[in-house]
């Protein structure tokens, strides 16, 4: 039986397992794909103390560091269920393979995935102009023309943010109006280098084989097709937390994020959560890593206050 079982092997889970192991307690980590989203990332330039690295290298270093400790790594395994015994407080995590693991505390760090448009060219030009993260990739488009897809809060925030870096932003919304907060919409419309297109359906990301050169969209009011010349496309149509397997077990927000307090506690005693799968604001590596440390230290705090069952 583990003292701390971490589910998820991205920056938050890896950090949680290092923090737990350093307390000399029995620590395990279950990861479907060790490294998480950083495996799909090219350049990382905003993790302080590492001026520049690349996703796969960062992921390998996460795993190397975890391997320096006495952590039981269960790679290519997916958590499928979680239950807590009311009497003993012991938590069981069922794996998709059919196995079951038991632990006194659990840190969930299963991350999230960006919703994609699923149009031709999007996958082909991913990281070649198509991106999902304005905080990460905005500076790469300094002085260039970009589009932001999505008129919710994240899309409008991205457009405002990017307008200060790039030469021009076109915000494209599928519906007849933007869904972002009015204050953000007012700010957006006050910017001289932003155009807003509503009722516009993106149909294709186009490129020259190496990088994005534009996109095509159809007006949903006139049915006419149009092309825009661009260097970048920021897709901001939702971040989906990997928490489907926890529905009905833990309190989730309307977006499916695990509701956590400032110490990473969830609605179930002994179960903590960290990173992109939670309500922690801002989905970034440094934030995920920090919240992983918080969750592990909270788990340790819980252990020293609880009798061994
Ligand atoms: P994740 O990295 O999503 O890791 C989740 C882990 O859980 C993975 O190991 C996954 O396999 C595993 N998992 C999922 N479900 C289960 C399950 N049921 N059972 C077991 N394991 C499971 N942030 C930056 O700060 N800088 C950047 O430059 C940057 N660039 C990015 C570029 C791209 C293309 C993307 C997609 C994201 C980028 N981000 C960047 C965001 C950053 O990658 C995330 O904020 C960060 O990885 C979140 O860490 P996490 O540990 O919470 O989750």
């Amino acid at each position: 039986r583990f003292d701390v079982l971490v589910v998820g092997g991205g920056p938050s889970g890896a950090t949680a397992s290092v923090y737990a192991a350093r307390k000399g307690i029995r620590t395990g980590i279950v990861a479907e794909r060790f490294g998480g989203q950083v495996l799909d990332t090219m350049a990382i330039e905003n993790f302080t103390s590492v001026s520049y690295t690349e996703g796969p290298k960062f992921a390998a270093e996460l795993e190397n560091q975890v391997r320096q400790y006495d952590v039981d790594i269960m790679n290519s395994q997916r958590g499928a269920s979680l239950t807590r015994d009311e009497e003993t407080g012991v938590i069981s995590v069922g794996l998709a393979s059919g196995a079951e693991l038991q632990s006194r505390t659990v840190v969930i760090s299963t991350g999230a995935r960006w919703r994609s448009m699923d149009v031709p060219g999007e996958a082909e030009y991913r990281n070649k102009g198509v991106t999902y993260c304005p905080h990460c990739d905005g500076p790469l488009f300094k002085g260039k023309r970009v589009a932001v897809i999505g008129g919710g809060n994240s899309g409008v925030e991205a457009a405002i943010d990017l307008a200060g870096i790039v030469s021009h932003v076109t915000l494209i919304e599928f519906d007849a109006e933007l869904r972002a907060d009015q204050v953000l919409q007012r700010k957006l419309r006050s910017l001289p280098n932003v155009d807003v297109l509503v009722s516009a359906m993106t149909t294709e990301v186009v490129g020259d084989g190496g990088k994005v050169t534009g996109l095509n969209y159809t007006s949903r009011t006139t049915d006419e097709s149009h092309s825009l010349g661009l260097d970048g496309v920021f897709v901001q149509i939702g971040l989906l937390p990997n928490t489907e397997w926890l529905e009905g077990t833990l309190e989730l927000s309307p977006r499916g994020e695990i509701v956590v307090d400032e110490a990473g506690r969830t609605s179930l005693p002994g179960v903590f959560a960290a990173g992109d799968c939670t309500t922690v604001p801002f989905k970034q590596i440094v934030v995920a890593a920090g919240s992983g440390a918080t969750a592990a230290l909270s788990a340790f705090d819980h252990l020293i206050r609880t009798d061994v069952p």
Side-chain angles (χ1 to χ4, degrees):
R1 181 183 303 163
F2 294 104
D3 291 316
V4 177
L5 178 64
V6 179
V7 185
S12 60
T15 308
S17 68
V18 167
Y19 268 76
R22 286 172 62 85
K23 296 293 183 191
I25 53 182
R26 282 158 298 172
T27 305
I29 182 166
V30 175
E32 198 172 4
R33 196 168 155 248
F34 207 102
Q37 291 170 67
V38 294
L39 287 172
D40 307 320
T41 305
M42 296 290 287
I44 300 169
E45 299 178 342
N46 56 4
F47 192 81
T48 36
S49 86
V50 183
S51 329
Y52 178 90
T53 187
E54 283 169 7
K57 184 161 178 263
F58 188 88
E61 278 165 10
L62 282 180
E63 191 165 344
N64 284 343
Q65 191 170 1
V66 174
R67 287 194 185 280
Q68 285 169 26
Y69 292 91
D70 189 13
V71 175
D72 192 346
I73 301 182
M74 291 157 276
N75 230 329
S76 308
Q77 295 287 337
R78 186 159 56 84
S81 67
L82 182 142
T83 48
R84 179 177 179 276
D85 186 300
E86 286 288 328
E87 232 158 83
T88 61
V90 172
I91 300 150
S92 302
V93 172
L95 303 184
S97 65
E100 193 174 82
L101 303 170
Q102 293 199 328
S103 187
R104 293 176 63 205
T105 65
V106 169
V107 174
I108 302 169
S109 53
T110 47
R113 59 201 188 272
W114 296 99
R115 184 179 277 151
S116 56
M117 298 186 286
D118 289 332
V119 298
E122 181 182 17
E124 186 183 347
Y125 290 107
R126 192 171 180 158
N127 290 330
K128 295 173 184 161
V130 174
T131 158
Y132 299 81
C133 184
H135 302 305
C136 317
D137 296 337
L140 303 177
F141 296 90
K142 190 166 189 275
K144 298 190 169 168
R145 296 178 72 85
V146 303
V148 173
I149 314 297
N153 278 339
S154 48
V156 173
E157 282 167 13
I160 294 169
D161 172 4
L162 291 165
I165 303 172
V166 305
S167 68
H168 187 269
V169 181
T170 306
L171 182 109
I172 301 181
E173 165 59 43
F174 179 83
D175 277 333
E177 53 190 59
L178 305 184
R179 282 163 291 118
D181 298 342
Q182 285 303 327
V183 54
L184 291 174
Q185 293 196 34
R186 268 199 304 279
K187 172 78 186 172
L188 181 76
R189 292 188 200 277
S190 75
L191 298 171
N193 59 340
V194 177
D195 288 334
V196 176
L197 301 176
V198 291
S199 301
M201 183 173 73
T202 307
T203 52
E204 185 176 6
V205 176
V206 287
D208 62 8
K211 58 179 172 35
V212 166
T213 55
L215 67 72
N216 298 333
Y217 69 93
T218 303
S219 161
R220 297 175 65 224
T221 43
T222 64
D223 244 5
E224 277 171 30
S225 292
H226 303 270
S227 297
L228 284 175
L230 300 165
D231 303 293
V233 179
F234 286 80
V235 183
Q236 295 288 298
I237 54 177
L239 186 66
L240 303 171
N242 298 319
T243 56
E244 291 85 351
W245 62 290
L246 296 165
E247 276 166 22
T249 313
L250 290 176
E251 187 187 353
L252 302 178
S253 74
R255 290 179 179 188
E257 296 168 330
I258 301 169
V259 176
V260 287
D261 69 7
E262 73 286 354
R265 296 184 201 96
T266 70
S267 58
L268 265 190
V271 180
F272 303 83
D276 282 16
C277 64
T278 70
T279 48
V280 168
F282 307 117
K283 311 307 188 197
Q284 292 284 282
I285 298 167
V286 72
V287 176
S291 65
T294 303
L297 295 175
S298 293
F300 182 69
D301 190 60
H302 176 88
L303 288 169
I304 60 176
R305 288 161 197 272
T306 317
D307 293 331
V308 178

